[in-house]
Every structure is written in C-alpha cells, then in structure tokens.
C-alpha cells in the first residue's frame, strides 16, 4: 500500500526539480547559452555535456554510448547495437551506465544523461541523442 503523504512529497520534489531545470535553462538563455531540453533528463548546455564527457572519459562503455548515439543522432539505438559497438559484455556495459549516473549526480545533484533512454516494448533499452547534443559531444569529446 502506498502512503499518500509520501507520494505527495515525491511528486512535489519532482515539480521542484522541474522548476529548477526551467530556471537554470532560462538563466543559460539569458547568458546567451544554447540549451536543449530533454524532458525528464533535464535541460543541457554544451558546458554540461563537456563536463560529463570529461569525467566519464575513462569509461569505454560510456564512450561507446556517446559515440554510437552521436553517430546516429536523432535515431534510436538499441542496447544490443550498443553492445556490438562497445565490445563489452552486457553486465559491464550496464555497470558503466550506472557509473555515469553516479558521476552525473555528483556533477549536477541528480541523475541525468544528455541521452534519452527508455525501455522498449520488447524489454530492451533504447537510447537517442538529439542532434544538437551530438554536435556538442563531437566538439568537446576528450
């Protein structure tokens, strides 16, 4: 059974985070920065993409994720395609995604990626990088 007070608090936290993302994005626009809104993944700037890429440069699975989604910008990439590209086994690839999430949390105070991700109808994870972010990644990749 779900506690309604807990549910209300979790929803309020989500709303507060969404407001913070919008305000941060608005400040970036005021400062002349281009932003990309990835919905639940937050609003991204080129500097944030560069910071995350730099902190993850030692993770070959994360590098592979960025490479394949940037190469296929705007298109869906499956976990199977990612594994074939990275050469890692699925467990190691997933471990590196978890590591990137922890790095993002350290950098941005919450888990977020500059890559959309969701579980497809067949149960496999799917990834997509917006074209603008793909350009930023190519320009700033370590």
């Amino acid at each position: 059974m779900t506690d309604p007070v807990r549910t209300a608090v979790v929803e309020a936290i989500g709303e507060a985070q969404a407001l913070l993302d919008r305000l941060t994005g608005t400040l970036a626009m005021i400062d002349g920065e281009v932003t990309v809104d990835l919905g639940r993944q937050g609003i991204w700037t080129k500097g944030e993409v560069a910071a995350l890429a730099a902190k993850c440069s030692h993770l070959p699975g994360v590098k592979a994720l960025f490479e394949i989604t940037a190469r296929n910008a705007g298109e869906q990439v499956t976990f199977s395609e990612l594994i074939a590209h990275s050469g890692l086994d699925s467990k190691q690839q997933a471990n590196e995604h978890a590591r990137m999430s922890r790095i993002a949390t350290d950098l941005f105070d919450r888990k977020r990626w500059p890559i959309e991700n969701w579980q497809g109808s067949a149960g496999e994870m799917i990834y997509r990088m917006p074209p603008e972010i793909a350009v930023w990644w190519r320009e700033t990749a370590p």
Side-chain angles (χ1 to χ4, degrees), residues 116-128:
E116 298 168 292
N117 60 86
W118 65 94
Q119 191 165 12
S121 59
E124 185 171 25
M125 289 303 295
I126 299 172
Y127 309 93
R128 179 174 51 213

Side-chain angles (χ1 to χ4, degrees), residues 56-67 82 85-88 92-93 96-97:
C56 293
S57 64
H58 66 289
L59 300 169
V62 172
K63 182 177 179 186
L65 174 64
F66 275 74
E67 286 172 349
L82 172 58
H85 177 73
S86 74
L88 300 175
Q92 182 61 36
Q93 186 69 47
E96 294 203 7
H97 291 187

Side-chain angles (χ1 to χ4, degrees), residues 40-103:
R40 69 181 180 89
Q41 295 296 347
I43 296 172
W44 285 85
T45 65
K46 182 178 180 178
E48 290 171 329
V49 172
L52 182 61
K55 291 282 188 177
C56 293
S57 64
H58 66 289
L59 300 169
V62 172
K63 182 177 179 186
L65 174 64
F66 275 74
E67 286 172 349
I68 195 169
T69 55
R71 183 175 4 152
N72 297 288
E75 299 175 18
Q76 296 180 10
V77 175
T78 65
F79 188 73
S80 297
E81 292 169 324
L82 172 58
I83 293 297
H85 177 73
S86 74
L88 300 175
D89 64 45
S90 60
K91 182 176 174 138
Q92 182 61 36
Q93 186 69 47
N95 286 344
E96 294 203 7
H97 291 187
R99 182 67 185 125
M100 179 172 67
S101 293
R102 288 192 298 277
I103 291 169

Side-chain angles (χ1 to χ4, degrees), residues 4-31:
V5 173
R6 185 180 195 294
T7 300
V9 170
V10 168
E11 288 174 1
I13 290 170
E15 291 167 3
Q17 186 62 55
L19 176 59
L20 178 60
D21 287 346
R22 284 194 307 275
L23 292 172
T24 301
T26 300
L27 282 176
M29 287 186 291
I30 290 168
D31 292 341

